[in-house]
Coordinates of all heavy atoms in Angstrom, one line a residue:
Chain B
L1116 N 116.4 59.8 112.2 CA 117.6 59.0 112.5 C 117.3 57.7 111.7 O 116.2 57.2 111.7 CB 117.7 58.6 114.0 CG 118.2 59.7 114.9 CD1 118.2 59.2 116.4 CD2 119.6 60.2 114.5
D1117 N 118.3 57.2 111.0 CA 118.1 56.1 110.1 C 119.2 55.0 110.4 O 120.3 55.1 110.1 CB 118.3 56.6 108.7 CG 117.8 55.6 107.7 OD1 117.5 54.5 108.1 OD2 117.8 56.0 106.5
D1118 N 118.7 54.0 111.1 CA 119.6 52.8 111.3 C 120.9 53.2 111.9 O 122.0 52.9 111.4 CB 119.7 52.1 110.0 CG 120.3 50.7 110.2 OD1 120.3 50.2 111.4 OD2 120.8 50.1 109.2
V1119 N 120.9 53.9 113.0 CA 122.2 54.4 113.7 C 122.8 53.3 114.5 O 122.1 52.7 115.4 CB 121.9 55.6 114.5 CG1 123.1 56.0 115.4 CG2 121.6 56.8 113.6
D1120 N 124.0 52.9 114.3 CA 124.8 52.0 115.1 C 125.9 52.9 115.8 O 126.7 53.6 115.1 CB 125.5 50.9 114.3 CG 124.4 50.0 113.7 OD1 123.3 50.0 114.2 OD2 124.8 49.3 112.8
L1121 N 126.1 52.8 117.1 CA 127.1 53.6 117.7 C 127.4 53.0 119.1 O 126.6 52.6 119.8 CB 126.6 55.1 117.9 CG 127.6 56.2 118.2 CD1 128.6 56.3 117.1 CD2 126.9 57.5 118.4
V1122 N 128.7 53.0 119.4 CA 129.2 52.6 120.7 C 129.7 53.8 121.5 O 130.5 54.5 120.9 CB 130.2 51.5 120.6 CG1 130.8 51.1 121.9 CG2 129.6 50.2 120.0
V1123 N 129.4 53.9 122.7 CA 129.9 55.0 123.5 C 130.6 54.4 124.7 O 130.0 53.5 125.4 CB 128.8 55.9 124.1 CG1 129.4 57.2 124.7 CG2 127.8 56.3 122.9
N1124 N 131.9 54.7 124.9 CA 132.6 54.1 126.0 C 132.8 55.1 127.2 O 132.7 56.3 127.1 CB 134.0 53.8 125.5 CG 134.0 52.8 124.4 OD1 133.2 51.8 124.5 ND2 134.8 53.0 123.4
S1125 N 132.9 54.5 128.4 CA 133.2 55.3 129.6 C 134.6 55.9 129.5 O 135.5 55.3 128.8 CB 133.1 54.4 130.8 OG 134.1 53.4 130.8
G1126 N 134.8 57.0 130.1 CA 136.1 57.6 130.1 C 136.6 58.1 128.8 O 137.8 58.3 128.6
E1127 N 135.7 58.4 127.9 CA 136.1 59.0 126.7 C 135.1 60.1 126.2 O 133.9 60.0 126.7 CB 136.4 58.0 125.6 CG 135.1 57.4 125.0 CD 135.3 56.7 123.7 OE1 136.4 56.4 123.3 OE2 134.2 56.5 123.0
I1128 N 135.5 61.0 125.4 CA 134.6 62.0 124.8 C 134.3 61.6 123.4 O 135.3 61.5 122.6 CB 135.2 63.4 124.9 CG1 135.4 63.8 126.4 CG2 134.3 64.4 124.3 CD1 135.9 65.2 126.6
L1129 N 133.1 61.4 123.1 CA 132.7 61.1 121.7 C 132.1 62.3 121.2 O 131.1 62.9 121.7 CB 131.7 59.9 121.7 CG 131.0 59.7 120.4 CD1 132.0 59.0 119.4 CD2 129.7 58.8 120.5
G1130 N 132.6 62.8 120.1 CA 132.1 64.0 119.4 C 131.1 63.6 118.4 O 131.2 62.6 117.8
I1131 N 130.1 64.5 118.1 CA 129.2 64.2 117.0 C 129.3 65.4 116.1 O 129.1 66.6 116.5 CB 127.7 64.2 117.5 CG1 127.6 63.2 118.7 CG2 126.8 63.8 116.4 CD1 127.4 61.7 118.3
A1132 N 129.6 65.1 114.8 CA 129.8 66.2 113.9 C 128.7 66.0 112.8 O 128.1 65.0 112.7 CB 131.1 66.1 113.2
G1133 N 128.4 67.1 112.1 CA 127.4 67.0 111.0 C 126.9 68.4 110.7 O 126.9 69.3 111.6
I1134 N 126.3 68.5 109.5 CA 125.6 69.8 109.2 C 124.4 69.9 110.1 O 123.8 68.9 110.5 CB 125.2 69.8 107.7 CG1 126.4 69.6 106.8 CG2 124.4 71.0 107.4 CD1 126.1 69.4 105.4
S1135 N 124.0 71.1 110.5 CA 123.0 71.3 111.4 C 121.7 70.6 110.9 O 121.4 70.7 109.7 CB 122.7 72.7 111.8 OG 122.3 73.4 110.6
G1136 N 121.0 69.9 111.8 CA 119.7 69.3 111.4 C 120.0 67.9 110.8 O 119.1 67.4 110.0
S1137 N 121.1 67.3 111.0 CA 121.4 66.0 110.5 C 120.9 64.8 111.4 O 121.2 63.7 111.2 CB 122.9 65.8 110.1 OG 123.3 66.8 109.2
G1138 N 120.4 65.2 112.5 CA 119.9 64.2 113.5 C 120.6 64.2 114.8 O 120.4 63.4 115.7
Q1139 N 121.5 65.3 115.0 CA 122.2 65.4 116.3 C 121.3 65.5 117.5 O 121.4 64.7 118.4 CB 123.1 66.6 116.3 CG 124.2 66.6 115.2 CD 123.8 67.4 114.0 OE1 122.6 67.3 113.5 NE2 124.7 68.1 113.3
K1140 N 120.3 66.4 117.3 CA 119.4 66.7 118.4 C 118.6 65.4 118.7 O 118.4 65.0 119.9 CB 118.5 67.8 118.0 CG 117.5 68.2 119.0 CD 116.7 69.4 118.5 CE 115.4 69.5 119.2 NZ 114.3 69.8 118.3
E1141 N 118.1 64.8 117.7 CA 117.3 63.6 117.8 C 118.0 62.5 118.5 O 117.5 61.7 119.3 CB 116.7 63.2 116.5 CG 115.6 64.1 115.9 CD 116.2 65.4 115.3 OE1 117.4 65.5 115.2 OE2 115.4 66.2 114.9
L1142 N 119.3 62.3 118.1 CA 120.1 61.2 118.7 C 120.2 61.4 120.2 O 119.9 60.5 121.0 CB 121.5 61.2 118.0 CG 122.5 60.2 118.6 CD1 122.0 58.8 118.4 CD2 123.8 60.3 117.9
L1143 N 120.6 62.6 120.6 CA 120.7 62.8 122.1 C 119.3 62.7 122.8 O 119.2 62.1 123.8 CB 121.3 64.2 122.4 CG 122.7 64.5 121.8 CD1 123.2 65.8 122.5 CD2 123.6 63.4 122.1
E1144 N 118.3 63.2 122.2 CA 117.0 63.1 122.8 C 116.5 61.7 122.8 O 115.8 61.3 123.8 CB 116.0 64.0 122.1 CG 116.3 65.5 122.3 CD 115.2 66.4 121.8 OE1 114.2 66.0 121.3 OE2 115.3 67.6 122.1
A1145 N 116.8 60.9 121.8 CA 116.4 59.5 121.9 C 117.0 58.8 123.0 O 116.4 58.0 123.7 CB 116.7 58.8 120.5
V1146 N 118.3 59.0 123.3 CA 119.0 58.4 124.4 C 118.4 58.9 125.7 O 118.2 58.1 126.6 CB 120.5 58.7 124.3 CG1 121.2 58.1 125.6 CG2 121.2 58.1 123.1
A1147 N 118.1 60.2 125.8 CA 117.5 60.7 127.0 C 116.1 60.3 127.2 O 115.5 60.6 128.3 CB 117.6 62.2 127.0
G1148 N 115.5 59.7 126.3 CA 114.1 59.2 126.4 C 113.1 60.3 126.1 O 111.9 60.2 126.5
L1149 N 113.5 61.3 125.4 CA 112.6 62.4 125.1 C 112.1 62.3 123.6 O 111.2 63.1 123.2 CB 113.3 63.8 125.2 CG 113.8 64.1 126.6 CD1 114.7 65.3 126.6 CD2 112.6 64.4 127.5
Q1150 N 112.6 61.3 122.9 CA 112.2 61.1 121.5 C 111.9 59.6 121.4 O 112.7 58.8 121.8 CB 113.4 61.4 120.7 CG 113.2 61.4 119.2 CD 112.9 62.7 118.6 OE1 111.9 62.8 117.9 NE2 113.7 63.8 118.9
A1151 N 110.7 59.3 120.9 CA 110.3 57.9 120.8 C 111.1 57.2 119.7 O 111.2 57.8 118.6 CB 108.8 57.7 120.6
A1152 N 111.6 56.1 119.9 CA 112.3 55.3 118.9 C 111.4 54.4 118.1 O 110.5 53.8 118.7 CB 113.5 54.5 119.5
E1153 N 111.5 54.4 116.8 CA 110.6 53.6 116.0 C 111.1 52.1 116.1 O 110.3 51.2 116.3 CB 110.5 54.0 114.6 CG 109.5 53.3 113.8 CD 109.5 53.8 112.3 OE1 110.4 53.3 111.5 OE2 108.7 54.7 112.0
S1154 N 112.4 52.0 115.9 CA 113.0 50.6 116.1 C 114.4 50.8 116.6 O 115.0 51.9 116.6 CB 112.9 49.9 114.7 OG 113.6 50.6 113.8
G1155 N 115.0 49.7 116.9 CA 116.4 49.7 117.4 C 116.5 49.6 118.9 O 115.5 49.6 119.6
T1156 N 117.7 49.4 119.4 CA 117.9 49.3 120.8 C 119.0 50.3 121.2 O 119.9 50.6 120.5 CB 118.4 47.9 121.1 OG1 119.6 47.6 120.3 CG2 117.3 46.8 120.9
I1157 N 118.9 50.7 122.5 CA 119.9 51.5 123.1 C 120.3 50.8 124.4 O 119.6 50.8 125.4 CB 119.4 52.9 123.5 CG1 118.8 53.6 122.2 CG2 120.5 53.8 124.1 CD1 118.1 54.9 122.5
L1158 N 121.4 50.0 124.4 CA 121.7 49.2 125.5 C 122.6 49.9 126.5 O 123.7 50.4 126.1 CB 122.4 47.9 125.1 CG 121.5 46.7 124.6 CD1 122.4 45.5 124.3 CD2 120.5 46.4 125.7
F1159 N 122.2 50.1 127.7 CA 123.0 50.7 128.7 C 123.7 49.7 129.6 O 123.0 48.8 130.1 CB 122.2 51.7 129.5 CG 122.9 52.2 130.8 CD1 123.7 53.3 130.6 CD2 122.6 51.7 132.0 CE1 124.4 53.8 131.8 CE2 123.3 52.2 133.1 CZ 124.2 53.2 133.0
T1160 N 125.0 49.7 129.8 CA 125.6 48.7 130.6 C 126.1 49.5 131.9 O 126.9 50.4 131.8 CB 126.9 48.1 129.9 OG1 126.5 47.8 128.6 CG2 127.4 46.9 130.6
D1161 N 125.7 49.0 133.1 CA 126.2 49.7 134.3 C 127.5 49.1 134.7 O 128.1 48.2 134.1 CB 125.1 49.7 135.4 CG 124.8 48.3 135.9 OD1 125.6 47.4 135.6 OD2 123.8 48.1 136.5
A1162 N 128.1 49.6 135.8 CA 129.4 49.2 136.2 C 129.5 47.7 136.5 O 130.6 47.1 136.4 CB 129.8 50.0 137.5
D1163 N 128.4 47.1 136.9 CA 128.4 45.7 137.2 C 128.1 44.8 136.0 O 128.1 43.6 136.1 CB 127.3 45.3 138.3 CG 127.5 46.2 139.5 OD1 128.6 46.5 139.8 OD2 126.5 46.5 140.1
G1164 N 128.0 45.4 134.9 CA 127.8 44.6 133.6 C 126.3 44.3 133.3 O 126.0 43.6 132.4
N1165 N 125.4 44.8 134.2 CA 124.0 44.6 133.8 C 123.6 45.5 132.7 O 124.0 46.6 132.6 CB 123.1 44.9 135.0 CG 123.5 44.1 136.2 OD1 123.8 42.9 136.1 ND2 123.5 44.8 137.4
Q1166 N 122.7 44.9 131.8 CA 122.3 45.7 130.7 C 120.8 46.1 130.7 O 120.0 45.3 131.2 CB 122.6 44.9 129.4 CG 124.1 44.8 129.2 CD 124.4 44.4 127.7 OE1 123.7 43.6 127.1 NE2 125.5 45.0 127.2
K1167 N 120.5 47.3 130.2 CA 119.1 47.7 130.1 C 118.9 48.4 128.8 O 119.8 49.1 128.3 CB 118.8 48.7 131.2 CG 118.8 48.2 132.6 CD 119.0 49.2 133.7 CE 119.2 48.6 135.0 NZ 119.8 49.5 136.0
D1168 N 117.7 48.1 128.2 CA 117.4 48.8 126.9 C 116.6 50.0 127.2 O 115.5 50.0 127.7 CB 116.6 47.8 126.0 CG 116.4 48.4 124.7 OD1 116.9 49.5 124.4 OD2 115.6 47.8 123.9

Side-chain angles (χ1 to χ4, degrees):
Chain B
L1116 288 178
D1117 191 354
D1118 194 16
V1119 167
D1120 294 341
L1121 196 61
V1122 171
V1123 190
N1124 299 319
S1125 65
E1127 70 162 20
I1128 298 184
L1129 171 73
I1131 309 276
I1134 298 170
S1135 62
S1137 301
Q1139 297 94 322
K1140 181 177 155 223
E1141 287 78 8
L1142 178 61
L1143 298 194
E1144 291 193 356
V1146 175
L1149 296 170
Q1150 182 96 231
E1153 186 181 84
S1154 59
T1156 54
I1157 304 172
L1158 278 183
F1159 170 80
T1160 315
D1161 65 15
D1163 306 328
N1165 301 321
Q1166 291 198 322
K1167 288 158 190 162
D1168 183 9

